[in-house]
Amino acid sequence: MSNVNASIETDASRAPWVDEVWDKIIGKVERMSQSTGDDFPYISYNGKYKSEEADWWTNGFWPGLMWLVYRENKVEELKDTAAQIEALMDPVLTDFYPLHHDVGFMWSLSSVAQYKLLGGEISKRRAMTAASHLVGRYNARGQFIRAWNQPERVGWAIIDCMMNLPLLYWASEESGDPRFKHVAALHADTTLREFLRPDGSSHHIVCFDPETGERQEALGGQGYSPDSAWSRGTAWALYGMALSARYTGDQRYIDAAKRAAHFFLANVPEDGLPPWDFRAPWEEGMAMDSSASACAASGMLELSLLVPKSESELYRSAAEKLIFKLNEKYTAWDDPNEEAILRMGTANRPKQAHVNNPMIYGDYFFAEAVCKLRGVHDTFW
């Protein structure tokens, strides 16, 4: 079992504001644990997180937040609540829920997190079951993991799935069976070839012929168009490639993560808040996405550990600046009636779904990035 180092590394250069922000995160999470409890929060409206069904793709982020805090402060209530949420997802693994590609998001931050911290065999079994499902979605002809479940989408793959791959790498490490990591690396190779553009931007959806594996077309998905640059998709690519590089040591993945990072930094506004798509026409009331910057920052901090020392500070400093800017303008510390941490996230602009609202995964990635800025680089991915 991989060990998670809960100690804080000494970092004399760490800015004082980082510890202050972490204290505020602890306060938010502890208060939210009282009001939200063992539920599945997704989007905050009027200061209160609304719940989703047990199979919703974001359901790992709330227990993940509690595990981040518990790792340091050992508050038993947070541990118990996170474990209860994990158990509430059991019917999704065992009954007739339509399991999907995002099981990595769900069980890496819940079951893998608990297993790394506490060594629970039940959590390990849950995560291994989820990993087995994810492997079962692999299309050997096209060398991709299928997204969603609709019959017309049988040949679809999406950039988001790069963040599900760590569950497979972890499963290989725990089981000694290399098949999980082989599938993960083959999907990452397909993403590298078919999704990432030379400038570091990426497609959201690429469609393949499920019988032959041949690439058919790219679709806009949650981005503005097939050729645009969905900002959260760039963050998924950046962080996902860095995680694949961490597990495999493949320089190609490091280079891809660097390319995505430079594209993100070249396009994000000075205040750290990106539009939902970097190439979408500007409009009044533009949909913005703070979760993209929070995820990109955490990905850059991961990347900073994989590159030579001469490059490392570039990515660390860029990530710190993004988190500083988000904290300065887009956090909800000053609103006692708001459960969320991070404002101005957008779930799906093309569908006009949850535009410029707080979202649980924005909160998670913000908190994870702050942990890394404090010197705790072990993650649950």
Side-chain angles (χ1 to χ4, degrees), residues 37 44 48 66 120 149 176 179 190 314:
S44 176
K48 177 70 176 176
M66 287 185 281
N149 294 322
R179 292 177 298 170
T190 298
L314 183 157

Side-chain angles (χ1 to χ4, degrees), residues 85-366:
I85 295 170
E86 181 186 339
L88 287 173
M89 294 194 292
D90 279 352
V92 184
L93 286 174
T94 60
D95 294 348
F96 297 102
Y97 282 86
L99 261 181
H100 44 72
H101 59 277
D102 276 331
V103 295
F105 281 113
M106 295 174 71
W107 280 280
S108 288
L109 303 181
S110 56
S111 295
V112 174
Q114 180 169 187
Y115 178 63
K116 284 184 174 181
L117 290 169
L118 304 176
E121 288 299 313
I122 294 176
S123 292
K124 178 182 177 180
R125 184 165 64 248
R126 287 167 175 148
M128 289 299 301
T129 300
S132 296
H133 166 78
L134 192 57
V135 163
R137 301 182 68 87
Y138 180 69
N139 183 303
R141 288 285 191 180
Q143 299 185 334
F144 65 88
I145 294 171
R146 176 192 174 180
W148 298 304
N149 294 322
Q150 296 91 332
E152 69 275 13
R153 299 180 179 183
V154 69
W156 290 20
I158 57 175
I159 194 65
D160 319 40
C161 205
M162 286 300 301
M163 295 298 296
N164 291 308
L165 301 186
L167 180 65
L168 300 183
Y169 293 121
W170 169 86
S172 273
E173 289 185 350
E174 287 301 320
S175 66
D177 188 337
R179 292 177 298 170
F180 295 99
K181 71 177 181 182
H182 291 334
V183 166
L186 287 167
H187 179 89
D189 289 347
T190 298
T191 303
L192 190 60
R193 184 179 65 251
E194 303 291 357
F195 282 78
L196 266 71
R197 305 185 186 104
D199 67 358
S201 64
S202 67
H203 301 291
H204 180 201
I205 301 170
V206 174
C207 306
F208 301 88
D209 184 316
E211 292 289 347
T212 67
E214 293 296 316
R215 186 186 198 273
Q216 295 177 320
E217 62 177 334
L219 300 176
Q222 289 175 237
Y224 175 71
S225 73
D227 297 317
S228 64
W230 178 41
S231 58
R232 193 162 69 248
T234 303
W236 294 148
L238 191 173
Y239 199 173
M241 284 294 172
L243 289 168
S244 280
R246 187 185 81 198
Y247 278 102
T248 66
D250 194 320
Q251 183 64 41
R252 295 174 306 144
Y253 301 154
I254 295 176
D255 293 341
K258 289 165 64 174
R259 202 160 75 235
H262 285 279
F263 178 82
F264 195 97
L265 293 172
N267 287 276
V268 68
E270 180 61 28
D271 67 353
L273 182 68
W276 65 285
D277 191 301
F278 288 123
R279 293 184 177 132
W282 197 263
E283 60 186 7
E284 186 176 354
M286 185 73 168
M288 310 300 282
D289 192 3
S290 58
S291 76
S293 272
C295 179
S298 196
M300 288 180 211
L301 290 166
E302 186 74 39
L303 180 58
S304 74
L305 305 178
L306 302 171
V307 297
K309 206 166 187 180
S310 58
E311 299 177 45
S312 179
E313 184 57 25
L314 183 157
Y315 299 110
R316 190 190 187 284
S317 296
E320 182 176 348
K321 181 179 178 181
L322 283 175
I323 295 301
F324 178 83
K325 292 293 186 178
L326 290 178
N327 176 64
E328 188 177 48
K329 294 190 175 183
Y330 301 109
T331 46
W333 312 129
D334 58 345
D335 187 351
N337 298 314
E338 175 57 68
E339 287 186 322
I341 294 170
L342 197 59
R343 304 182 189 273
M344 296 298 289
T346 291
N348 191 327
R349 168 60 179 80
K351 291 186 176 180
Q352 290 293 341
H354 315 304
V355 174
N356 293 334
N357 286 103
M359 305 185 298
I360 194 65
Y361 47 94
D363 288 0
Y364 176 83
F365 285 115
F366 181 86

